[in-house]
Amino acid sequence: ISSENVKMLSGLSFVFVSIDDAAAKEVIIKYLIENKIPFVDVGISLEVVDKKIRGSARVTTGIFERTDHISKRVSFVEPPEDDYHK
């Protein structure tokens, strides 16, 4: 999804966002907030420590009554190459 076709999300009652592309995620989430469409965004991180995999999961919900926390929880910056990408 890009700025050219993000309007395809219009009319949806809820959106589940699970995407690595930071630029696309920003376009999607900004559109959802502007159009008061509730959503959940998920992300994971993984790293190898002492030949073991360690990870975490993040779930962030946006509803039209409250979205001020999104910029503190969801990154719109491309992550560096890490163990997840391997």
Side-chain angles (χ1 to χ4, degrees), residues 22-42:
K25 183 189 311 191
E26 184 172 20
V27 167
I28 293 166
I29 290 180
K30 283 185 177 184
Y31 181 84
L32 297 174
I33 290 171
E34 289 169 5
N35 290 278
K36 299 183 177 170
I37 299 171
F39 64 93
V40 63
D41 175 66
V42 298

Side-chain angles (χ1 to χ4, degrees), residues 8-76:
M8 292 177 10
L9 301 175
S10 176
L12 296 179
S13 59
F14 190 86
V15 175
F16 181 84
V17 181
S18 177
I19 185 170
D20 287 336
D21 185 317
K25 183 189 311 191
E26 184 172 20
V27 167
I28 293 166
I29 290 180
K30 283 185 177 184
Y31 181 84
L32 297 174
I33 290 171
E34 289 169 5
N35 290 278
K36 299 183 177 170
I37 299 171
F39 64 93
V40 63
D41 175 66
V42 298
I44 63 170
S45 66
L46 297 173
E47 62 182 333
V48 177
V49 178
D50 297 327
K51 297 184 182 180
K52 296 177 186 167
I53 297 174
R54 180 171 62 182
S56 64
R58 176 191 50 76
V59 178
T60 306
T61 303
I63 55 175
F64 67 89
E65 295 93 352
R66 183 161 186 264
T67 58
D68 58 328
H69 63 291
I70 300 299
S71 63
K72 299 172 195 158
R73 305 281 188 261
V74 179
S75 174
F76 300 121

